[in-house]
Amino acid sequence: MSLSAFATLLERLAFTPQRGRKEQLLIAAFASQPDPDRGLMLAALTGDLRLRQVTPGLLRGLAETRVDAQLFAASYDFVGDLAETIALIWPVSGSDSPSLSEVVAELAETPKTRLPGVIAARLDGLGPSERYAYLKLATGALRVGVSARLARSSFAAWAGLPLAEVEEIWHALAPPYAELFAWGTGGPRPEAASRVPFRPVMLSTATDLEALSALDPADYAAEWKWDGIRVQAVSDGGLKRLYSRTGEDISGAFPDVIALMDFEGALDGELLVRRGAQIGSFAELQQRLNRKTVSAALLRSHPAGLRLYDALIWQGRDLRALSYDARRAVLAELPLGPQIDLSPQLPFASWEDLAALRANPPEAVIEGVMIKRRDSAYLAGRVKGPWFKWKRDPFLIDAVLMYAQRGHGKRSGYYSDFTFGVWHGEDLVPVGKAYFGFTDAELKELDRFVRTHTIERFGPMRSVARSKVVEVAFEGLNRSSRHKSGVAMRFPRINRIRDDKPASEADHLETLQAMLPSDG
Amino acid sequence: MPQPPLLIPKPEGLYCPDGDFYIDPMRPVPRALVTHGHADHARAGHGAVLATRQTLEIMAIRYGEGFAGQRQAAEGPLRLGNVDVSFHPAGHVLGSAQIAVTAGAQRVVVSGDYARVPTPTCAPFEPVPCDIFVTEATFALPVFHHPPPEAEIARLLASVAAYPDRAHLVGAYALGKAQRVIAALRQGGWQAPIHIHGALQRLCDYHIAQGIDLGDLRPATETRGKKADFAGAIVIAPPSAFASTWAQRFPDPVICFASGWMQVRARARQRGVELPLVISDHVDWPQLTATIAEVNPAEVWITHGREDALMRWCEMQGRAARPLHLVGYEEEAE
Ligand SMILES: [Zn+2]
Ligand SMILES: [Zn+2]
């Protein structure tokens, strides 16, 4: 596959809205491109082609050797995508079209010190769209509106294989996927990859009291929704793996959890920082994430554990076709320790009972309730009906817009990143930032407000007249010494514009302080 | 003694005290000079309007004959108060002009919107030597290199050939862009009828009446036709039409949009465009900077757009420049 063909494919994928048509484009590429290039293409789309040494910093530095740094910064701010900015701004062009395997090998094998020179020479030889494709390949983040799942399902459709089987072995395969393409063209299933498989996780859909009232509470069980990381713990003939819900192997970061997995099977649960019964906050769990290895000190200070929801495989038996109640009965037999236990079921006779429990959870790390149909099988993916999540209502405050910055990606060119504040005595103190929650029409209104009410500019940031009130929704509040206000919001977003309120009627910092958890 | 400024930015727009007039004012004023017929430059309700004959006629089409108390067509040099005024082609849309204001030895040229890519739909930009060149900065970032329009038309025609069962709906603003695209399609060899949305009819008719050959244009708003009749057709419409039920009459349409903004992918995706066409009636970065070098003014004034970047370029070139921060010119409508 030439880089030009790859560039054309990326462009067509990015601008083709229909999922079915994207799939057709991918199927045509699998059918027409040779090995190993089509495998590299697939890896690029699933995010598995990791050429980690090509960092954004390296590319930016390279661009600034050819273009004035200020002009580059202004361009990047406007375009919102580093690879696209460099592809467009690079001052020299050529008409080379190397193959994907050629450029991938070059990027993977070139020593770090020589990499900038090699990349610059490539950029000189390519046209703008090939440059874009090359830089996307080099940095890994394609963002062409194709999820890893869509790439895999297109592969499965092309190969005539069940998607679930492809997903089960995916984590054990590596680019350029020679074995996988061999399987897809009539060869044997890659056997080595079949050990300790990840199995697609069952997901819930959101609900509310109104929707629930049509259902019979007796048909459902309820559990707390714990605010950790949903995982699948698989132990297969002495091999143990911890997978994220998307099938990423995170075992390396959690040796303490792997050591707890004294069973034979595949279990579904929540990964939490826990010290026995005491459950740590999501912020504590974050300390443990995204690490290749973990220090002994961190293992002591932030011990991880599991709270189990479900069992997919038990002692070699596939339980997925059984009912939720039957699977939970199997789980109840499991010997448990202080760091691994069963997510308790909540007693309720009516949805109002459950609403009362949900309104007053015993721990701050609970973010709502999960409702599961007792007779439902364990199904792959987000199926509407058997499982619901009923999240805690968000907190709401009225705040005043203070600063705005232009957005990136889909929002580039719009002022879409807002800093808002609340009153503290006579002054407004910033309490958070939000860049979503509003509708497209509200975004246009806010953008216009920013442009016509700018009182000061600092680079890409504008300070605006303190007259626009917005209702901000957020999921929780923590103390923070890094913020002047002393509070940090979780997941803030702009819920609506309050043109009915003057700025003087926005909320005060005391209101927020009263929402802080008492344990600190 | 330094000369008092010939033009000063006011909330209403650029004002000339010695001639007592505004250029492209955003609000109704007693006397306005108008560079071209786009709505953000040409507004209704002024006491008197001086513009090219074609701009006046376009304003009458858009706003009705009573769009101003009085109107005067700019023909040859004129004297207004203590200043001399002349109009020069801007290459942007039919009738578009740069306005030169001269007093004594000082000349200011207000370029309005301008383009350097030739089109059969209007007279080409004419560089006018001046002391102060007033320019917009809509595409003033070095990422904007608009490809030649014939390359974009070739992409459109390739897509029409690849999807013979689908209609291609090309979003293009009613004044200028639509006709620029139609003329480029004709130059690119598309001789079949082009269907146009009803909102484009009067302005297309006006271009034809002015002697511009747009070929066989047919209305696309007829409801009697069957969907399949539009298979393989090219339909030009104002971009706003795509959000309405109007677009539903076409078979599996490919949404295209002709705009300089289409060079930025996020912009194209925001608009749900399937085939972005980078066709602009403004200058891109190389054309903008080359125009400033060619006109070679002592000072550059920047009305709106990416003024920070153009200021930076002027600084690097050792050119004096000043942002006017004029509010009210819409850069979306490119
Ligand atoms: Zn214009
Ligand atoms: Zn304009």
Side-chain angles (χ1 to χ4, degrees):
Chain A
M1 184 176 214
S2 69
L3 198 53
S4 300
F6 183 61
T8 307
L9 177 68
L10 289 190
E11 195 151 315
R12 292 183 68 185
L13 288 171
F15 292 117
T16 299
Q18 307 89 341
R19 192 186 152 93
R21 240 190 261 280
K22 284 186 207 255
E23 194 175 272
Q24 287 308 313
L25 289 167
L26 291 172
I27 287 172
F30 292 133
S32 64
Q33 298 298 332
D35 289 324
D37 288 29
R38 60 185 175 182
L40 295 173
M41 172 194 88
L42 177 58
L45 290 166
T46 56
D48 291 301
L49 189 66
R50 299 203 176 103
L51 301 161
R52 283 190 189 276
Q53 44 180 353
V54 185
T55 59
L58 183 155
L59 293 179
R60 209 178 161 144
L62 201 56
E64 289 176 359
T65 63
R66 301 291 187 97
V67 185
D68 173 60
Q70 270 187 43
L71 287 175
F72 182 81
S75 298
Y76 180 30
D77 178 48
F78 187 87
V79 173
D81 181 286
L82 184 65
E84 187 177 356
T85 307
I86 296 174
L88 292 171
I89 212 168
W90 197 259
V92 183
S93 285
S95 54
D96 295 352
S97 187
S99 71
L100 280 193
S101 30
E102 190 181 341
V103 296
V104 168
E106 182 178 87
L107 286 167
E109 287 157 21
T110 302
K112 198 158 189 179
T113 47
R114 286 188 42 229
L115 203 53
V118 166
I119 294 176
R122 278 286 177 208
L123 295 177
D124 284 344
L126 300 171
S129 37
E130 289 77 15
R131 264 200 298 267
Y132 175 80
Y134 174 72
L135 291 168
K136 283 291 175 187
L137 205 59
T139 53
L142 292 183
R143 285 206 234 137
V144 290
V146 174
S147 63
R149 195 176 162 87
L150 176 58
R152 288 194 289 263
S153 71
S154 303
F155 170 83
W158 166 73
L161 295 167
L163 174 59
E165 283 190 36
V166 174
E167 292 204 315
E168 280 198 11
I169 61 164
W170 185 265
H171 66 95
L173 301 171
Y177 305 120
E179 291 173 285
L180 181 70
F181 279 91
W183 184 31
T185 46
R189 179 185 154 103
E191 275 315 317
S194 310
R195 296 289 312 278
V196 216
F198 167 74
R199 295 169 177 90
V201 164
M202 180 159 176
L203 301 169
S204 59
T205 56
T207 191
D208 54 32
L209 193 55
E210 201 189 319
L212 287 170
S213 61
L215 306 174
D216 182 353
D219 293 338
Y220 292 85
E223 302 167 44
W224 294 121
K225 181 169 175 14
W226 299 92
D227 188 12
I229 298 277
R230 181 85 179 278
V231 290
Q232 188 174 104
V234 188
S235 180
D236 181 5
L239 287 173
K240 297 171 202 288
R241 298 268 189 282
L242 195 62
Y243 295 113
S244 74
R245 65 168 213 191
T246 52
E248 198 188 339
D249 185 350
I250 55 171
S251 312
F254 295 95
D256 45 351
V257 176
I258 294 287
L260 295 172
M261 288 165 47
D262 197 10
F263 56 78
E264 182 76 15
L267 305 182
D268 181 336
E270 197 82 12
L271 178 65
L272 298 159
V273 162
R274 58 184 304 179
R275 301 166 185 95
Q278 193 262 323
I279 306 287
S281 67
F282 186 74
E284 284 194 272
L285 180 61
Q286 261 175 328
Q287 308 274 321
R288 292 284 309 266
L289 296 174
N290 302 323
R291 287 170 189 270
K292 275 233 139 65
T293 56
V294 56
S295 71
L298 196 60
L299 283 173
R300 269 196 307 278
S301 63
H302 292 69
L306 294 175
R307 186 148 270 183
L308 299 172
Y309 294 131
D310 217 319
L312 289 76
I313 307 290
W314 187 248
Q315 315 274 21
R317 233 177 103 210
D318 191 336
L319 308 183
R320 285 177 286 182
L322 302 184
S323 70
Y324 167 82
D325 277 345
R327 299 192 308 272
R328 287 284 296 208
V330 171
L331 263 190
E333 302 296 309
L334 187 71
L336 303 167
Q339 289 297 94
I340 177 165
D341 64 3
L342 197 54
S343 165
Q345 290 182 328
L346 305 176
F348 70 103
S350 68
W351 298 120
E352 287 70 24
D353 290 352
L354 191 60
L357 286 167
R358 165 180 168 271
N360 196 12
E363 310 233 22
V365 51
I366 289 169
E367 52 169 8
V369 296
M370 294 296 303
I371 299 164
K372 299 176 176 175
R373 210 180 145 88
R374 292 180 178 277
D375 63 3
S376 61
Y378 192 97
L379 304 169
R382 199 178 299 282
V383 186
K384 193 169 156 51
W387 284 12
F388 297 109
K389 60 182 166 203
W390 189 14
K391 294 207 6 173
R392 186 179 57 205
D393 287 332
F395 298 98
L396 297 174
I397 55 149
D398 289 327
V400 182
L401 277 195
M402 300 179 71
Y403 306 98
Q405 200 169 351
R406 269 209 295 272
H408 279 183
K410 269 189 96 173
R411 298 252 157 87
S412 74
Y414 284 96
Y415 284 91
S416 63
D417 296 12
F418 304 102
T419 302
F420 46 84
V422 294
W423 294 106
H424 185 44
E426 297 288 286
D427 301 320
L428 281 166
V429 43
V431 289
K433 284 182 183 205
Y435 46 92
F436 66 104
F438 33 74
T439 63
D440 287 354
E442 285 171 329
L443 173 61
K444 280 199 174 135
E445 182 186 337
L446 291 169
D447 179 72
R448 188 170 317 230
F449 172 81
V450 171
R451 288 172 196 277
T452 50
H453 292 79
T454 298
I455 51 180
E456 220 179 325
R457 299 159 187 246
F458 332 86
M461 179 82 90
R462 293 191 177 198
S463 176
V464 297
R466 306 293 146 80
S467 57
K468 193 82 162 174
V469 178
V470 290
E471 184 177 85
V472 176
F474 55 99
E475 294 303 314
L477 207 60
N478 295 318
R479 289 174 205 282
S480 165
S481 52
R482 286 189 304 122
H483 296 86
K484 198 175 146 199
S485 61
V487 297
M489 289 179 175
R490 278 199 54 203
F491 211 53
R493 65 263 184 197
I494 292 184
N495 210 35
R496 60 186 171 130
I497 300 172
R498 295 294 309 256
D499 281 335
D500 54 321
K501 277 207 170 181
S504 59
E505 287 178 23
D507 277 308
H508 288 253
L509 188 57
E510 291 72 24
T511 312
L512 279 175
Q513 284 162 341
M515 294 177 182
L516 281 167
S518 49
D519 59 7
Chain B
M1 218 181 79
Q3 265 184 300
L6 256 180
L7 294 178
I8 47 178
K10 287 201 175 193
E12 296 88 341
L14 272 177
Y15 178 66
C16 175
D18 286 341
D20 191 23
F21 58 79
Y22 288 86
I23 298 179
D24 289 355
M26 299 82 178
R27 301 177 198 169
V29 297
R31 182 195 266 280
L33 276 55
V34 172
T35 58
H36 67 286
H38 277 151
D40 51 330
H41 298 259
R43 294 178 192 250
H46 301 307
V49 171
L50 172 63
T52 64
R53 177 184 55 78
Q54 287 170 328
T55 295
L56 293 172
E57 287 169 359
I58 287 166
M59 288 177 80
I61 290 172
R62 305 194 110 182
Y63 302 125
E65 289 296 336
F67 68 84
Q70 287 175 36
R71 52 170 123 157
Q72 183 184 350
E75 268 147 21
L78 293 154
R79 185 137 184 103
L80 294 177
N82 299 320
V83 301
D84 293 307
V85 171
S86 56
F87 284 61
H88 307 267
H92 173 56
V93 298
L94 185 60
S96 67
Q98 312 170 70
I99 298 177
V101 180
T102 313
Q106 197 190 23
R107 175 182 286 164
V108 184
V109 168
V110 180
S111 56
D113 294 334
Y114 61 102
R116 302 302 301 265
V117 176
T119 165
T121 58
C122 65
F125 179 90
E126 172 194 318
V128 180
C130 56
D131 304 288
I132 297 173
F133 184 61
V134 184
T135 181
E136 50 92 2
T138 305
F139 293 112
L141 285 173
V143 285
F144 288 108
H145 295 254
H146 297 154
E150 48 280 19
E152 296 301 283
I153 292 294
R155 290 202 309 122
L156 171 58
L157 294 180
S159 179
V160 171
Y163 296 110
D165 299 332
R166 305 175 73 186
H168 281 66
L169 304 196
V170 183
Y173 290 100
L175 170 58
K177 186 62 69 63
Q179 298 78 23
R180 189 179 279 257
V181 170
I182 293 168
L185 273 166
R186 298 307 186 202
Q187 287 181 326
W190 182 262
Q191 296 311 332
I194 293 173
H195 302 268
I196 58 170
H197 184 277
L200 306 183
Q201 189 70 53
R202 293 184 69 200
L203 284 165
C204 284
D205 289 347
Y206 179 69
H207 278 72
I208 294 163
Q210 294 299 300
I212 295 154
D213 182 12
L214 298 178
D216 184 359
L217 301 185
R218 310 244 177 114
T221 30
E222 257 150 33
T223 44
R224 258 169 292 152
K226 287 197 295 287
K227 251 193 186 188
D229 294 349
F230 288 104
I234 298 178
V235 182
I236 318 276
S240 56
F242 296 161
S244 71
T245 54
W246 175 84
Q248 295 166 2
R249 75 191 61 197
F250 302 104
D252 192 9
V254 181
I255 302 295
C256 319
F257 188 32
S259 164
W261 295 119
M262 293 298 103
Q263 193 150 41
V264 175
R265 282 162 194 254
R267 289 290 183 117
R269 282 160 80 169
Q270 268 163 17
R271 286 186 161 273
V273 171
E274 209 170 324
L275 182 64
L277 299 170
V278 188
I279 299 178
S280 176
D281 50 20
H282 287 253
V283 280
D284 66 5
W285 175 257
Q287 293 157 355
L288 170 59
T289 52
T291 300
I292 292 172
E294 183 180 0
V295 173
N296 196 21
E299 211 175 308
V300 177
W301 288 6
I302 306 162
T303 53
H304 67 290
R306 322 270 81 74
E307 56 267 61
D308 293 350
L310 190 53
M311 290 291 291
R312 171 65 181 161
W313 180 82
C314 288
E315 181 195 333
M316 288 164 63
Q317 301 291 314
R319 289 190 175 277
R322 155 179 187 203
L324 301 179
H325 298 311
L326 292 183
V327 175
Y329 295 124
E330 283 179 26
E331 50 181 45
E332 279 306 318
E334 196 281 317

